[in-house]
Amino acid sequence: MMFRRTLVIAALGALAIGCAPPQASDGAGTQETTGELRVWLFQEASNAAKEKVVDEAKAEFEAAHEGVTVNVEYLPVDGRATRFNGAFNDKASAPDVAEFGNTDLAGYTASNGFADLTADLGKWPESKDLVPEVLDTAKVDGKTYGIPWFTGTRALYYRTDVFTELNLTPPTTLAELTETARAIRRAKPGLYGIAVGGKYQFALLPYIWANGGDVAEQVGDAWKSAIDSPAAKDGLAQYAELLSDDICPPSACAQLTGSQSVAAFAGGKAAMTIGGDFNRAAVDAGAVKGKYAVVPLPGEEPGSIAPAFAGGNLLGVFRSSTKRALALEFTRLLGGKEYQEKMYGAMGNMPTFTDVQDRVAADDQFLAPFIETVQSGTRFVPSTPAWTKIDAASVLPTMVQQVATGRADVHTATRAAAAEMNAAFGS
């Protein structure tokens, strides 16, 4: 199955964890070809499936490299900051290869934690098939610091039974989505037309981007908020309209997070929601199993797709590694097409190569709208460690909640958010 690929340049950025500059060298002058290759990967809630695939890659690599032992350690995601910060400052505690979130990239590169792989990946034949916008999430200032190992995005879940009963069709524009949600709520007052939340930042962002707005813009080396631009205001107003009594009452929905919005849909309390491919198991475990379908979140024009946030994890080589060549080779093996497809089979992780995406979607139609969304062009948050402060302060969710609850109008809320963002950016 081939999907439409309207490729737009992604706005790269990252949610970073601040770290002190490392004291270790990058190991560029040392090339150890035997010994222990240390690998850090994230621990999953159910890790057995991941371990099985990784163990297969480990065995293949060790068989091809006499005298090399691959030692894989699984780190709890919540404790990653302490381990990575320590490793950036003490090469004795550092791995050679590590999995890390693309939203952590800006902070890690500011700490010189990972090796620049731009030239290396340019020589890797498989890299030509990486989805360009997903590859952009591995870049800072034009340099590539990892291989996108998997990606995740969001689309529109809807209740097929409700739509059939009310003779409705999936919306083809964001404006139509609003009217459809309102019609459902009117016909079924006990049901949210769509479950979205004031704290659901990843549902808000596609509305801003689809309206031609952005969160921030980079001018030279500096960042400046763009959340108070006319286009961004239009996106905020359109999203906040969903948080109203005739769709999703603000008394209940202004406090909803993304996971809570999906839970409301899964529990049969809403006719639609914006959810990820990674929410499939949660939805199937709920009351709507077998009674829902998914389409791309539409954009402003019929037939268009709203740009989605490109989440996901990367595999990179630590700058301090004294086994850089081995580390790069293992990274390309585990992050390459064969093992990405195996990871999809084991865990459902969406691959980052277009041809692999097309193959897995041909066998699993559930993935089709998510892959179409990825291949139509995704976006990202600002590529600066300052985004950590902005995100931690809930600047955008607060802005949404103020508008949804009537505490501030769109102009006042965006002006306050822009001021807080610019203070974090230092602009």
Side-chain angles (χ1 to χ4, degrees), residues 115 225 250 370:
S225 175
F370 299 100

Side-chain angles (χ1 to χ4, degrees), residues 240-331:
E241 188 177 356
L242 301 177
L243 300 174
S244 56
D245 287 335
D246 60 353
I247 296 178
C248 195
S251 58
C253 300
Q255 296 296 321
L256 291 183
T257 62
S259 59
Q260 290 169 337
S261 298
V262 172
F265 177 81
K269 297 179 181 179
M272 294 184 283
T273 196
I274 297 170
D277 56 288
F278 40 84
N279 292 131
R280 181 182 192 173
V283 175
D284 281 341
V288 299
K289 181 179 181 179
K291 298 184 289 187
Y292 73 91
V294 185
V295 294
L297 182 68
E300 279 293 277
E301 301 298 326
S304 66
I305 297 175
F309 172 80
N313 284 3
L314 312 171
L315 290 174
V317 175
F318 257 64
R319 188 171 179 266
S320 60
S321 175
T322 57
K323 300 180 178 68
R324 190 183 192 283
L326 285 172
L328 176 64
E329 191 174 344
F330 185 76
T331 298

Side-chain angles (χ1 to χ4, degrees), residues 164-395:
T164 298
E165 179 186 345
L166 300 181
N167 196 28
L168 298 171
T169 57
T172 60
T173 66
L174 288 176
E176 188 179 325
L177 187 156
T178 301
E179 293 310 311
T180 300
R182 188 170 282 125
I184 292 169
R185 178 76 170 171
R186 184 167 54 246
K188 293 181 171 292
L191 202 63
Y192 300 155
I194 182 171
V196 290
K199 295 182 178 180
Y200 195 177
Q201 185 165 283
F202 295 128
L204 164 69
L205 291 174
Y207 275 78
I208 292 173
W209 292 328
N211 277 272
D214 209 341
V215 175
E217 57 185 13
Q218 189 174 16
V219 181
D221 294 331
W223 284 90
K224 183 179 180 181
S225 175
I227 200 67
D228 57 346
S229 69
K233 289 178 182 178
D234 287 344
L236 169 60
Q238 192 173 44
Y239 180 77
E241 188 177 356
L242 301 177
L243 300 174
S244 56
D245 287 335
D246 60 353
I247 296 178
C248 195
S251 58
C253 300
Q255 296 296 321
L256 291 183
T257 62
S259 59
Q260 290 169 337
S261 298
V262 172
F265 177 81
K269 297 179 181 179
M272 294 184 283
T273 196
I274 297 170
D277 56 288
F278 40 84
N279 292 131
R280 181 182 192 173
V283 175
D284 281 341
V288 299
K289 181 179 181 179
K291 298 184 289 187
Y292 73 91
V294 185
V295 294
L297 182 68
E300 279 293 277
E301 301 298 326
S304 66
I305 297 175
F309 172 80
N313 284 3
L314 312 171
L315 290 174
V317 175
F318 257 64
R319 188 171 179 266
S320 60
S321 175
T322 57
K323 300 180 178 68
R324 190 183 192 283
L326 285 172
L328 176 64
E329 191 174 344
F330 185 76
T331 298
R332 290 191 298 203
L333 175 68
L334 188 58
K337 294 182 180 181
E338 178 183 358
Y339 279 95
Q340 281 203 21
E341 191 159 357
K342 288 180 178 181
M343 286 297 292
Y344 160 75
M347 302 184 64
N349 292 347
M350 187 189 296
T352 62
F353 297 93
T354 54
D355 52 342
V356 182
Q357 287 181 348
D358 291 337
R359 279 201 302 275
V360 300
D363 295 329
D364 186 354
Q365 285 300 300
F366 170 83
L367 280 182
F370 299 100
I371 290 176
E372 187 174 2
T373 298
V374 169
Q375 294 187 2
S376 72
T378 54
R379 302 284 290 274
F380 213 58
V381 291
S383 58
T384 166
W387 185 254
T388 306
K389 300 177 183 177
I390 295 168
D391 191 68
S394 298
V395 174

Side-chain angles (χ1 to χ4, degrees), residues 15-79:
L15 170 70
I17 297 175
C19 315
Q23 303 303 312
S25 68
D26 64 5
T30 307
Q31 285 298 311
E32 297 177 13
T33 57
T34 59
E36 181 185 56
L37 188 73
R38 298 183 62 195
V39 179
W40 284 358
L41 301 176
F42 289 147
Q43 188 174 48
E44 310 296 334
S46 179
N47 213 49
K50 183 174 187 175
E51 289 184 41
K52 183 177 180 180
V53 175
V54 173
D55 285 348
E56 185 179 344
K58 171 184 171 180
E60 179 179 335
F61 192 80
E62 290 177 344
H65 298 82
E66 185 177 354
V68 174
T69 300
V70 180
N71 183 355
V72 181
E73 181 179 356
Y74 292 91
L75 308 182
V77 175
D78 291 344

